[in-house]
Amino acid sequence: MEKTLELRSLGNTGLKLSCVGFGASPLGSVFGPVSDEEAIATVREAFRLGINFFDTSPYYGGTLSEKVLGKSLKAVGVPRDQFIVSTKCGRYKDGFDFSATRVTQSIDESLERLQLDYVDILQCHDIEFGSLDQIINETIPALQKLKEKGKIRFIGITGLPLGIFNYVLDRVPLGTIDVILSYCHYGINDTTLEDLLPYLKSKGVGVISASPLSMGLLTENGPPDWHPASSELKAACRKAADFCKEKGKDISKLAMKYSLCNKDFSSILVGMKSVQQVQDNVAAAMEVVKGEKDEEVLVEIEEILKPVKNQTWPSGIQ
């Protein structure tokens, strides 16, 4: 590819993330089995095409995602200062635990699985399921101690309802939280995260937007059975996907490009488990660079999705 993948600054961290981020939950065989060979080939291709940001969690695949990502990073052998790894704490296969004791123990377990000495970002995972006051008074201070010890470089929070970010950021000293990861709130069908950007900028927080395909809604195959969206939203997305297909376009690629166009997001995080998926996502980013935006089809899709625009769903434990 003639151009390399765009790198974007993450808030005040000094980190520069590839605009396409590698979501490693599929490496935990969350969406069907992935062999070690496939995983290593996928991570190798990601590096080759300029992806430098990898996101995982002990929750994904019940720790399998971290193990497979760690094994893959080691096998590919890229120098540690040339990639950025983010993992999470507080959400595990057996439930939620945001206590200082558990998150402190959690990072050591994650580092062992990832075969790393430190992670660049440690995020409190899906904080709406815990007590936000505990996150503020107990979890974040524990993470600050891990930062002092050099086990993590930066602190983040993640979750679905956007209100959780204001609640926490308004109650911690400026600069305590470096990054937020929001999912399913910036895509063709939902752009509500955009409204929060001025506030997040004022707090000096970097923003990662995950799931530009809205957990499968904006795909030709459609969402998984457990998807919590309303039948009305699912039907509209199905109609939009079919329309794209008729026009010879892939709605997933279109959705990826739509999200990538907003430079206020440091990285658009999307799950990947094959060389082909890596190539497709990077190709979408390259088309954005070249100004290929499929405007006409996009206008039609936005019209189809207008009745369900910004319709979300309650957080649910999948």
Side-chain angles (χ1 to χ4, degrees):
M1 297 203 174
E2 64 276 24
K3 288 184 177 164
T4 52
L5 207 52
E6 182 191 1
L7 298 178
R8 298 180 183 175
S9 297
L10 181 68
N12 296 332
T13 63
L15 297 177
K16 284 192 177 294
L17 274 52
S18 50
C19 61
V20 175
F22 189 111
S25 73
L27 297 187
S29 294
V30 177
F31 304 100
V34 182
S35 69
D36 283 355
E37 292 73 24
E38 277 179 295
I40 291 165
T42 304
V43 170
R44 181 173 281 119
E45 185 68 355
F47 277 120
R48 188 181 78 80
L49 294 180
I51 292 174
N52 73 349
F53 173 50
F54 298 82
D55 176 86
T56 182
S57 163
Y59 173 65
Y60 301 149
T63 73
L64 188 59
S65 170
E66 284 188 328
K67 285 175 194 158
V68 175
L69 179 61
K71 200 182 284 186
S72 302
L73 290 169
K74 186 137 191 158
V76 176
V78 171
R80 178 65 186 93
D81 61 354
Q82 287 176 33
F83 60 90
I84 293 156
V85 173
S86 161
T87 193
K88 307 185 183 79
C89 62
R91 184 171 196 179
Y92 311 98
K93 194 179 180 180
D94 56 0
F96 293 88
D97 187 346
F98 291 102
S99 67
T101 308
R102 184 68 187 99
V103 301
T104 304
Q105 180 192 343
S106 180
I107 186 60
D108 289 335
E109 294 166 359
S110 288
L111 290 173
E112 194 175 322
R113 287 190 287 262
L114 287 162
Q115 303 182 50
L116 298 174
D117 297 327
Y118 67 91
V119 293
D120 300 277
I121 306 164
L122 183 62
Q123 313 192 65
C124 304
H125 196 174
D126 290 344
I127 59 173
E128 69 266 31
F129 290 106
S131 149
L132 295 184
D133 292 323
Q134 182 189 28
I135 301 288
I136 293 157
N137 300 315
E138 185 180 345
T139 320
I140 302 288
L143 266 49
Q144 286 177 298
K145 284 181 183 161
L146 295 176
K147 198 173 178 178
E148 285 160 21
K149 287 180 181 166
K151 291 182 182 183
I152 70 174
R153 293 174 68 198
F154 301 105
I155 294 169
I157 51 177
T158 85
L160 182 68
L162 294 175
I164 58 176
F165 299 121
N166 305 62
Y167 188 92
V168 174
L169 289 167
D170 280 347
R171 289 166 178 79
V172 297
L174 205 61
T176 306
I177 300 216
D178 304 292
V179 54
I180 68 124
L181 189 158
S182 166
Y183 68 98
C184 294
H185 284 307
Y186 192 77
I188 305 174
N189 59 309
D190 185 333
T191 54
T192 45
L193 181 56
E194 203 166 26
D195 299 337
L196 205 56
L197 285 171
Y199 167 82
L200 293 168
K201 273 188 183 169
S202 76
K203 295 286 185 182
V205 172
V207 187
I208 296 161
S209 180
S211 201
L213 313 184
S214 229
M215 302 195 311
L217 282 175
L218 301 175
T219 59
E220 282 188 3
N221 292 335
D225 294 340
W226 50 258
H227 200 294
S230 69
S231 51
E232 183 196 13
L233 178 51
K234 285 178 183 172
C237 289
R238 158 63 40 226
K239 192 177 170 189
D242 290 344
F243 174 81
C244 277
K245 203 169 182 180
E246 278 168 32
K247 298 286 178 189
K249 301 285 181 187
D250 179 356
I251 193 164
S252 298
K253 190 174 194 180
L254 220 66
M256 188 70 190
K257 284 163 71 171
Y258 182 91
S259 291
L260 284 162
C261 282
N262 191 324
K263 304 275 182 100
D264 285 324
F265 301 118
S266 302
S267 193
I268 303 299
L269 194 57
V270 62
M272 304 186 223
K273 63 170 188 169
S274 70
V275 168
Q276 187 64 53
Q277 286 176 344
V278 172
Q279 291 169 347
D280 290 348
N281 288 317
V282 172
M286 291 309 176
E287 286 183 20
V288 169
V289 171
K290 291 176 196 157
E292 297 170 20
K293 291 179 188 170
D294 304 308
E295 292 288 358
E296 286 174 26
V297 181
L298 197 56
V299 168
E300 294 281 350
I301 294 171
E302 287 184 301
E303 198 56 40
I304 293 168
L305 295 175
K306 209 178 204 170
V308 292
K309 178 86 173 183
N310 296 337
Q311 187 186 107
T312 189
W313 48 82
S315 295
I317 300 180
Q318 293 130 29

